Amino acid sequence: QVQLVESGGGLAQAGGSLRLSCQASGRISSIPVMEWYRQAPGKQRELVASKVNYGVTNYADSYADSVKGRFTVSRENGQNTVHLQMNSLKPEDTAVYYCHLKAWVMGKLGDYWGQGTQVTVSS
């Protein structure tokens, strides 16, 4: 019913930048929550950035302390796409990054996950 396709991961040097994208398709009415999580080897999955829609044009963004000032979450409503711009990357940002959406699909609010994209930051 809903497909999420992530792109943009890869290898970057410390101090560099990467931009992740997650495009959702399917019978989606609206997407009130768009988030990015990451999971490093041996660690639990953690929330990195969140964009919550509180109205037609009202959004609230939040970030993990570890990425504040470096990462920016944005969305393209017409494309049901969320991006994560990652600047000033650090080796500790190395992880698999997952997009997560809460979306209304055929009258039900559900949780949907992307397949994950690897981000590796070398020192």
Side-chain angles (χ1 to χ4, degrees):
Q1 294 177 346
V2 176
Q3 296 80 40
L4 303 184
V5 178
E6 296 185 31
S7 60
L11 178 64
Q13 290 188 334
S17 298
L18 286 172
R19 187 180 192 230
L20 306 183
S21 298
C22 174
Q23 184 169 15
S25 61
R27 303 183 67 176
I28 300 170
S29 299
S30 65
I31 307 176
V33 178
M34 305 180 96
E35 298 175 321
W36 287 95
Y37 283 76
R38 68 184 180 187
Q39 187 166 19
K43 295 187 177 181
Q44 290 187 333
R45 189 172 296 189
E46 64 171 346
L47 178 61
V48 175
S50 177
K51 181 174 283 288
V52 179
N53 183 359
Y54 288 102
V56 177
T57 58
N58 294 329
Y59 295 91
D61 297 347
S62 60
Y63 299 91
D65 288 341
S66 58
V67 307
K68 279 182 182 176
R70 300 189 297 121
F71 289 12
T72 303
V73 60
S74 61
R75 66 181 290 175
E76 298 178 41
N77 282 337
Q79 301 294 324
N80 283 337
T81 299
V82 60
H83 304 287
L84 184 67
Q85 178 66 43
M86 305 184 294
N87 298 328
S88 302
L89 284 164
K90 303 176 180 180
E92 50 264 43
D93 294 320
T94 295
V96 178
Y97 284 71
Y98 299 89
C99 66
H100 167 251
L101 309 182
K102 285 189 180 289
W104 285 99
V105 178
M106 294 189 290
K108 294 183 179 180
L109 184 63
D111 291 277
Y112 301 93
W113 290 89
Q115 79 278 11
T117 185
Q118 177 70 46
V119 170
T120 302
V121 183
S122 62
S123 58

